[in-house]
Structures are given as C-alpha cells and as structure tokens.
C-alpha cells in the first residue's frame, strides 16, 4: 500500500478521526517543504497549518483577518469531511486540496498542483482585457455577431455613435 501511495502524482495524506496524521507521501512533503521529522505520524493537521504559516510557505488569502482566522476556517472546513479548497503557496504555486471522509471518521486529502491552470486563466484574463480595450477604443466601426443568426453580441462606441 505504501508503494502505491508513493506512486501517486498528487500529494496524499491520511488523518485519523482526531485529525492526527497517519501516513503521507513524498509529494505531500515536497509540496509544503516538510522534512520527514515534520510529518511524523501523530502530528495534528492544525500543527502543520501553523508550521506552514510560521515558515512562510503558505499565503493567507485575502479576506482573512489574520493567519489564525485562516487556520480556524481550515479547521472548520476539515470537520465537514468532504470538499475542496485552494491553497496558494508562498513560492507562487497553487494547490487544489480535495478531502473525503473515511468510514472510520478519518480524512483522506489529495493535493493537486494547479499552477499551470491558474497561469493559463491569468493569461486568458489579460488577453481578454487587451481585446476589450482594443475593440472598444478602435476608431473603426466594430461589432461581434453570432454567426448563426446575425445577432449582435457586442458593439464598440464608434458603432453606437454611427447608428
């Protein structure tokens, strides 16, 4: 079983019903920069969260008053025993954590690196802003229409002035 867990391309961690680590793989340790000593069986996931913040490895998202508020929200989330939440690491990487409860009340957590997806989304947002700026600032009449029925989807200011 240990060999299978180590072969996973995602970070894997199993917590018992009290939130204490039972087993994790190397990818989980690599994602967060943990040493083998950091993730010994029995360490509670809130201790790992505090370590992440103290060592500057995890970025506290906007909207949280402080690191402790963020950690408490993660603790409350973990008690649901199912769901997903994003984690931004201080080095710029993004992880999506998917948690599922076990039949014994524990928690299996899988962390997938979604950094490339986030980078692609940001590149698309930048491209859309550039297109919008050029489209609406153009001195030429411009429209975007649906090919199927010719319905206008967008028009620029010059087109509005001309009509």
């Amino acid at each position: 079983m240990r060999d299978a867990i180590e072969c996973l391309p995602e970070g894997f961690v199993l917590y018992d019903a009290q939130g204490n680590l039972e087993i994790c793989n190397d990818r989980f340790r690599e994602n967060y920069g943990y040493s083998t000593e950091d993730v010994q069986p029995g360490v509670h996931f809130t201790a790992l969260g505090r370590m992440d913040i103290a060592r500057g490895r995890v970025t506290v998202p906007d909207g949280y008053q402080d690191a402790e508020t963020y950690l408490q929200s993660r603790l409350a989330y973990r008690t649901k025993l199912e769901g997903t939440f994003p984690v931004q690491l201080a080095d710029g990487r993004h992880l999506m954590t998917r948690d599922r409860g076990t039949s014994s009340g524990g928690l299996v957590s899988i962390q997938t690196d979604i950094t490339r997806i986030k980078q692609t989304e940001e590149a698309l947002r930048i491209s859309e802003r550039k297109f919008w700026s050029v489209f609406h600032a153009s001195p030429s009449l411009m429209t975007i229409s649906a090919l199927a029925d010719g319905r206008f989807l967008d028009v620029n200011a010059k087109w509005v002035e001309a009509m």
Side-chain angles (χ1 to χ4, degrees), residues 87 91-96 112-125:
V87 175
D91 65 6
R93 290 180 296 138
H94 295 265
L95 303 176
M96 182 57 70
T112 303
D113 189 327
I114 60 166
T115 304
R116 285 192 177 172
I117 293 168
K118 289 291 193 180
Q119 290 169 339
T120 301
E121 289 172 348
E122 181 59 21
L124 180 59
R125 276 191 289 279

Side-chain angles (χ1 to χ4, degrees), residues 46-86:
T46 56
L48 293 175
R50 281 184 173 65
M51 189 184 313
D52 294 337
I53 300 294
R55 292 180 180 176
R57 292 189 176 132
V58 171
T59 301
V60 175
D62 292 338
Y64 289 95
Q65 180 178 329
D66 53 29
E68 188 59 32
T69 305
Y70 172 62
L71 289 172
Q72 291 305 314
S73 73
R74 285 183 65 181
L75 177 61
Y77 161 81
R78 295 282 176 141
T79 61
K80 295 177 185 178
L81 297 180
E82 188 164 327
T84 60
F85 70 89

Side-chain angles (χ1 to χ4, degrees), residues 12-26:
F12 173 92
V13 62
L14 174 64
Y15 297 102
D16 66 17
Q18 289 74 43
N20 299 309
L21 186 140
E22 289 188 357
I23 189 171
C24 68
N25 67 0
D26 286 342

